[in-house]
Amino acid sequence: MQTGASGLRLRVVLLLAPVVFGGCGAGAALTPKMSALALIEQFAFVPEGRPPLSASAISGAKLISIDEALLVGMYEVTRAEFSAYIESASVTPDPLLVQHIQRWAASDDTLPATFVTRDEALDYSRWAGVRLLSSTEWLFCAISPRALAYPWADSWQQGRANTLDLGLWPYAPTRVGTFEGGSTATHLYDMLGNVWEWVTDEAAGATGNADSATAFGGSYLSYKREIQREGGFFAQSLSAGERREDVGFRVCAPARDWLEAHVAELPGSAEVRARLRAVGRRWGSSAVPLLGELVRASTSAAARDSLEAILSGARE
């Protein structure tokens, strides 16, 4: 980390310590990465599905579907989370990015991280043990299996997204999770508005250059538009190396793989089991088949106890 980032270093460590200790057992080493408990409490469960919608607006036209359940970040990656990556990652960050982050105020830690290139978003994801959504995954998550026009319904409703239509002044992003009424049925926030979100592949209109990339969903600097309309989608083609004040990202992981790899890390206290039941209630009945399979297949008592707690909540 560069010497000029010393102020960032102090703020990140102070910010992350409560989160990390909250998810670690006694005597666990302090790490700047988010604990498995903190992560699972921020994940939404998105079941596999195939809505009746084809994506002619995506390179190589394909069905908007996902073939496996995903755990998807309910919120766009925040400034606090991205600052932790910059502080601890083994790469040397771009000095331009470091200077930008140093202007972030501690009170703004729950705003979405922006001014991030697509490649930096990919690198953050690898560091955090997750990944970016593909274009088809992003669209599936945003419009649900019913192929809605907006994340919440087929009709526009004012006050559900941070776009120019909201009339905020000065124009600015809002804290992640602000617009409860604008969330999807699976509890994903800000899929429309707030900040554009990088995905891993290209959508229509991309230049086809090796450096081209795509972001979805609009921002506080764009007017509302349906996520999907007559075969077209609310996306823009950018350079993978572009930095914009209104472009950020969210992350995901295959549900089965992530749970198998991390659920045994969850502390086994009564308090944590109660929190896991709350996660299960939010995930709902669509998560029951997968959770049941994982419980039956588990050979770890710790993993089985945690999975059973989530499963019991999902059945409520």
Side-chain angles (χ1 to χ4, degrees):
M1 190 70 182
Q2 299 180 7
T3 303
S6 58
L8 173 64
R9 178 184 301 275
L10 177 60
R11 183 172 69 80
V12 169
V13 170
L14 290 176
L15 170 71
L16 266 285
V19 175
V20 174
F21 283 126
C24 296
L30 179 63
T31 169
K33 289 191 181 182
M34 193 177 294
S35 69
L37 179 59
L39 271 171
I40 200 170
E41 288 187 315
Q42 292 196 27
F43 277 143
F45 183 89
V46 180
E48 63 186 78
R50 294 177 175 272
L53 182 66
S54 293
S56 58
I58 295 178
S59 298
K62 60 192 77 173
L63 189 70
I64 297 300
S65 64
I66 57 174
D67 296 325
E68 61 178 344
L70 295 175
L71 300 180
V72 182
M74 290 194 294
Y75 314 112
E76 294 149 338
V77 170
T78 66
R79 291 182 176 185
E81 292 162 350
F82 194 78
S83 295
Y85 151 76
I86 291 295
E87 174 63 22
S88 65
S90 58
V91 298
T92 301
D94 183 337
L96 185 63
L97 177 62
V98 172
Q99 292 171 13
H100 183 81
I101 291 175
Q102 287 176 319
R103 296 196 294 270
W104 290 349
S107 59
D108 294 337
D109 281 329
T110 55
L111 291 176
T114 59
F115 205 66
V116 175
T117 69
R118 198 278 307 272
D119 291 340
E120 287 164 350
L122 289 169
D123 195 62
Y124 170 94
S125 302
R126 287 189 289 267
W127 169 80
V130 290
R131 63 174 174 81
L132 297 185
L133 293 155
S134 70
S135 55
T136 52
E137 289 169 341
W138 193 97
L139 287 165
F140 181 92
C141 290
I143 60 180
S144 89
R146 292 186 294 150
L148 300 172
Y150 299 98
W152 56 85
D154 263 331
S155 60
W156 171 255
Q157 292 174 287
Q158 184 71 351
R160 293 187 180 231
N162 183 15
T163 61
L164 284 174
D165 312 88
L166 192 63
L168 286 181
W169 180 258
Y171 305 133
T174 47
R175 295 180 176 182
V176 298
T178 295
F179 294 88
E180 182 71 34
S183 63
T184 68
T186 53
H187 306 285
L188 300 177
Y189 293 78
D190 298 317
M191 297 298 283
L192 178 67
N194 214 25
V195 298
W196 292 92
E197 299 179 13
W198 289 116
V199 294
T200 59
D201 53 344
E202 297 178 7
T207 63
N209 296 334
D211 191 42
S212 63
T214 297
F216 276 92
S219 78
Y220 65 93
L221 293 177
S222 64
Y223 284 99
K224 69 174 176 70
R225 184 184 151 186
E226 298 95 327
I227 295 294
Q228 61 91 13
R229 178 177 60 193
E230 299 178 355
F233 298 90
F234 199 9
Q236 66 170 329
S237 180
L238 302 169
S239 164
E242 273 191 71
R243 299 190 184 280
R244 293 196 179 188
E245 294 282 2
D246 65 335
V247 177
F249 64 104
R250 78 178 65 224
V251 296
C252 74
R256 181 185 298 274
D257 293 348
W258 192 92
L259 289 168
E260 287 178 339
H262 297 287
V263 76
E265 301 169 16
L266 299 169
S269 68
E271 177 193 353
V272 170
R273 286 196 296 273
R275 290 166 66 176
L276 292 177
R277 285 195 296 275
V279 169
R281 284 192 293 273
R282 176 164 49 78
W283 287 4
S285 59
S286 62
V288 168
L290 175 59
L291 291 169
E293 287 180 29
L294 293 176
V295 167
R296 292 189 293 273
S298 177
T299 59
S300 162
R304 187 166 52 253
D305 287 348
S306 295
L307 288 165
E308 287 176 342
I310 304 170
L311 179 58
S312 67
R315 285 172 167 162
E316 291 180 10

